[in-house]
Amino acid sequence: MVRALLAGRKTQTRRVINPTSRGMAPGQLMIFEGPRFGATVYRFEPRFEVGDRLYVREEWRLGRKWDDTKPSMLPERGMTVLYAAGGSSSNIAPGEWGYENFPAEIPDWAGRRRPGMHLPRWASRLTLTVTDVRVQRLQDCSEADAIAEGIQQYGRFFGLPDTDWDDAELTAVAAYHRLWNDINGAGAWEANPWVVAVSFDVRKGNIDD
């Protein structure tokens, strides 16, 4: 996902959302499903709103000397941060924190790989600004939506950049169908859950810069 964001291929994401059982409240979305008369009414409370700014968390490393230091105890912008998707951030000049495309390979001094959920806010290099929020069934995903999710076209086939040609599909939606099941388990697409589809602009830079 991070590589797709960096390359500008991904501008949309989907997350499963369940209807709320709370009473009517500001900010809820109401969806009618079924015939005009006798439709089922669902109410949702998405966590996202247009204009929200989000920072991307991704897998990362520091130098080995920091391996036993908790993220909350790290000196802010006091060391080089290496990203599993490639690239790094560091003090590229006195008092200037910046982002670079190197190293191409993990250096000898790099420490353990850390999960993205523990990446400090100050170390994030990608900022998303929400431009649209929709609640829909997963299978309402269109061809344009699937491409915005990062699916690419190769000749007459669709898939991700590292897709095995044996797994390539003839439509972007079919490729996204396969990807969803790969991530969420067999039958996850067929269950056709409610999802919140969030569109966003991507800016390369820290959310607080």
Side-chain angles (χ1 to χ4, degrees):
M1 182 194 80
V2 174
R3 290 187 177 92
L5 291 172
L6 288 168
R9 298 194 315 268
K10 185 172 177 67
T11 58
Q12 197 174 110
T13 190
R14 280 166 171 70
R15 297 288 184 270
V16 173
I17 186 172
N18 295 315
T20 180
S21 58
R22 293 200 319 138
M24 293 292 295
Q28 290 182 350
L29 294 179
M30 187 176 296
I31 306 291
F32 295 83
E33 185 177 56
R36 181 177 179 183
F37 298 102
T40 302
V41 181
Y42 298 93
R43 287 179 292 109
F44 299 90
E45 297 179 340
R47 296 189 297 117
F48 309 99
E49 294 182 2
V50 173
D52 282 353
R53 296 170 67 245
L54 314 169
Y55 69 94
V56 176
R57 299 180 182 184
E58 55 182 302
E59 292 187 343
W60 55 302
R61 300 174 190 265
L62 301 175
R64 279 196 298 270
K65 64 175 288 188
W66 302 105
D67 273 358
D68 295 327
T69 305
K70 296 180 180 179
S72 60
M73 301 300 293
L74 293 170
E76 184 172 327
R77 297 186 173 183
M79 74 293 291
T80 297
V81 179
L82 303 170
Y83 302 103
S88 64
S89 60
S90 63
N91 287 297
I92 58 178
E96 183 181 352
W97 182 259
Y99 308 92
E100 302 175 293
N101 292 326
F102 68 91
E105 298 181 355
I106 299 172
D108 293 340
W109 51 263
R112 62 184 175 87
R113 189 161 174 163
R114 301 187 186 219
M117 64 183 295
H118 295 153
L119 181 73
R121 178 183 173 111
W122 58 261
S124 174
R125 59 174 170 169
L126 290 170
T127 301
L128 312 181
T129 301
V130 176
T131 58
D132 186 52
V133 178
R134 293 174 288 150
V135 173
Q136 59 182 190
R137 290 289 188 180
L138 174 61
Q139 293 180 17
D140 288 337
C141 177
S142 68
E143 284 289 292
D145 289 333
I147 291 172
E149 284 275 6
I151 299 298
Q152 288 186 280
Q153 184 172 3
Y154 302 90
R156 57 191 292 263
F157 296 102
F158 293 84
L160 294 176
D162 57 353
T163 296
D164 188 304
W165 284 111
D166 291 337
D167 295 332
E169 302 287 351
L170 293 176
T171 68
V173 169
Y176 186 63
H177 171 176
R178 179 185 288 272
L179 176 63
W180 185 273
N181 278 353
D182 286 346
I183 295 172
N184 298 286
W189 174 274
E190 288 72 17
N192 199 24
W194 289 103
V195 295
V196 55
V198 182
S199 299
F200 48 80
D201 291 330
V202 182
R203 181 178 68 83
K204 296 177 182 177
N206 187 265
I207 190 170
D208 295 319
D209 289 344

